[in-house]
């Protein structure tokens, strides 16, 4: 039995190259499995077989774990046992013989074009906070980046001259275009407002809180939720809904699935194909957008 999971954690980060969130999930799942083994006095990892793993999933079932949790747990255990094979502890991976439950993926929630417009109109651009918030909302919808990626942006990641943004991740970087209204809002914020907010704690952070430190994901979530309530949007809105809306609106207006995959930074196109299912939803809205984005050719008067 492993004394701890530190070596496995190193394997996930340096050999598998998984994201921080995935690493945390895998480690939590494996630690739960190891706790189950200890409780059952199954202390020899070389004795673990298919029946042992099936017993664990029966145990998860008795505790009403969701199908999606069990599917992820199986992925975590497969990775863990593969690590043990590479390390020489085991000769085969017993988790490979376990078949995952089929789960029906929930379709993502989407904002309509009208709701997007309402949301973007809410910040008061006559005060510092409003200018910053306007820039963040426009940027999120213009590029489809995750809220976690947005708060990690630095000033150097923005090129106002070319109207583009470089989004950096552990697995690489992607360069994304921005529509003119987003560039204008971002330019206003960077040139006029950010110098009044930033302090040493903020460093090179593109977006800061009103105390001058880098904005947190929780802080941004509250900002989005507040403007949604102000706009009278009744959906349970999250920052990720702007990412979903960005993707679907482009797809509805002719953008290719592979192009959207690259813009979203999806490693597997199956993650992008969920938007095709939304396209087939008979209750889904259909609007006419300009050049694959509803704000791509916004009134030139919005530019500054």
């Amino acid at each position: 039995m492993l004394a701890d999971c530190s070596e496995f954690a190193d394997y996930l980060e340096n050999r598998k190259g998984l994201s921080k969130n995935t690493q945390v999930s895998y480690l939590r799942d494996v630690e739960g499995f190891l706790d189950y083994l200890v409780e059952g006095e199954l202390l020899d990892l070389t004795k673990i077989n298919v029946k042992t793993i099936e017993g664990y999933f029966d145990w998860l079932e008795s505790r009403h774990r969701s199908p999606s949790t069990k599917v992820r747990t199986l992925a975590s255990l497969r990775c863990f046992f593969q690590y043990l094979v590479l390390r020489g502890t085991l000769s085969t991976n017993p988790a490979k013989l376990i078949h995952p439950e089929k789960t029906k993926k929930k379709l993502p929630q989407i904002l309509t074009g009208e709701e997007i417009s309402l949301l973007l109109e809410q910040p008061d651009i006559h005060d510092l906070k409003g200018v910053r918030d306007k820039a963040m909302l426009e940027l999120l919808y213009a590029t489809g980046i995750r809220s976690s990626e947005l708060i990690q942006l630095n000033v150097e990641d923005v090129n106002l001259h070319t109207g583009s943004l470089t989004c950096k991740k552990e697995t690489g970087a992607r360069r994304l275009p921005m529509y003119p209204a987003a560039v204008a809002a971002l330019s206003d914020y960077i040139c006029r407002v950010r110098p009044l907010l930033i302090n040493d704690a903020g460093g090179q952070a593109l977006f800061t809180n009103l105390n001058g430190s880098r904005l947190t994901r929780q802080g941004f979530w509250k900002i989005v939720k507040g403007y949604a309530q102000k706009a009278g949007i009744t959906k349970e809105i999250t920052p990720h809904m702007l990412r979903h809306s960005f993707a679907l609106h482009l797809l509805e207006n002719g953008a290719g699935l592979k192009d959207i995959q690259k813009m979203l930074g999806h490693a597997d196109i199956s993650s992008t194909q969920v938007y095709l299912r939304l396209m087939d939803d008979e209750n889904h809205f259909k609007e006419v957008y300009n050049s694959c984005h509803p704000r791509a050719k916004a009134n030139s008067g919005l530019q500054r």
Side-chain angles (χ1 to χ4, degrees):
M1 183 69 68
L2 294 178
D4 57 55
C5 288
S6 58
E7 293 181 6
F8 180 54
D10 182 70
Y11 168 78
L12 293 177
E13 181 176 4
N14 297 315
R15 288 288 297 275
K16 299 292 287 184
L18 300 179
S19 70
K20 290 294 183 184
N21 286 342
T22 303
Q23 290 176 46
V24 170
S25 296
Y26 276 28
L27 286 170
R28 184 173 58 242
D29 291 339
V30 168
E31 286 168 356
F33 177 66
L34 294 178
D35 288 343
Y36 165 82
L37 296 180
V38 171
E39 193 171 318
E41 298 184 357
L42 303 170
L43 305 180
D44 187 349
L45 288 173
T46 64
K47 301 289 180 63
I48 303 302
N49 54 33
V50 173
K51 288 190 69 174
T52 309
I53 301 171
E54 288 177 339
Y56 180 58
F57 279 96
D58 288 341
W59 183 84
L60 291 177
E61 179 70 25
S62 70
R63 279 152 181 75
H64 308 293
R65 298 294 190 266
S66 69
S68 59
T69 296
K70 287 182 282 187
V71 169
R72 190 202 63 224
T73 300
L74 179 56
S76 302
L77 294 183
R78 282 180 171 178
C79 186
F80 176 61
F81 283 112
Q82 185 60 35
Y83 157 74
L84 294 179
V85 170
L86 292 173
R87 168 178 197 213
T89 304
L90 298 177
S91 58
T92 59
N93 183 342
K96 278 192 173 182
L97 300 175
I98 306 292
H99 299 290
E101 295 182 27
K102 291 186 177 180
T103 59
K104 185 177 180 181
K105 286 188 176 181
K106 291 183 179 178
L107 293 179
Q109 291 293 305
I110 302 294
L111 293 173
T112 66
E114 182 181 359
E115 288 169 334
I116 288 287
S117 295
L118 278 171
L119 185 67
L120 297 178
E121 290 168 2
Q122 297 313 307
D124 182 357
I125 58 174
H126 296 99
D127 65 39
L128 300 183
K129 181 179 181 299
V131 172
R132 180 204 64 183
D133 296 350
K134 173 74 170 176
M136 290 193 298
L137 293 177
E138 290 278 9
L139 182 60
L140 205 65
Y141 184 53
T143 61
I145 61 174
R146 302 171 180 86
S147 58
S148 58
E149 293 172 329
L150 180 134
I151 63 172
Q152 290 301 318
L153 290 173
N154 292 325
V155 177
E156 65 182 17
D157 298 326
V158 175
N159 189 324
L160 295 174
H161 178 68
T162 61
S164 63
L165 169 77
T166 301
C167 186
K168 300 170 184 174
K169 286 185 65 179
E170 298 153 352
T171 53
R174 62 190 192 277
R175 192 174 181 184
L176 302 166
M178 297 181 289
Y179 53 68
V183 175
L186 199 53
S187 177
D188 190 22
Y189 164 71
I190 291 174
C191 299
R192 186 165 63 91
V193 172
R194 184 179 177 277
L196 302 177
L197 295 179
I198 194 70
N199 61 26
D200 292 340
Q204 291 300 308
L206 177 59
F207 294 112
T208 73
N209 58 31
L210 298 184
N211 294 322
S213 301
R214 187 181 291 273
L215 189 69
T216 65
R217 187 163 55 176
Q218 293 83 356
F220 180 62
W221 185 89
K222 290 179 181 178
I223 290 168
V224 174
K225 187 174 182 180
Y227 285 127
Q229 292 174 341
K230 186 178 177 183
I233 298 173
T234 56
K235 295 174 181 173
E236 191 62 35
I237 192 171
T238 67
H240 217 64
M241 286 177 71
L242 275 79
R243 177 174 165 85
H244 291 320
S245 303
F246 160 88
L248 183 63
H249 293 171
L250 289 181
L251 185 62
E252 284 190 319
N253 290 275
L257 203 62
K258 290 287 288 184
D259 291 329
I260 295 174
Q261 177 193 0
K262 290 179 181 178
M263 284 187 275
L264 292 176
H266 284 161
D268 191 331
I269 199 168
S270 63
S271 299
T272 320
Q273 287 172 334
V274 66
Y275 300 110
L276 290 174
R277 290 175 58 198
L278 276 172
M279 288 270 288
D280 294 334
D281 184 352
E282 64 180 4
N283 296 317
H284 190 66
F285 59 89
K286 179 69 179 176
E287 297 179 359
V288 177
Y289 289 85
N290 183 25
S291 190
C292 292
H293 203 294
R295 297 172 70 84
K297 292 186 178 179
N299 190 300
S300 58
L302 291 176
Q303 301 184 52
R304 302 186 182 195

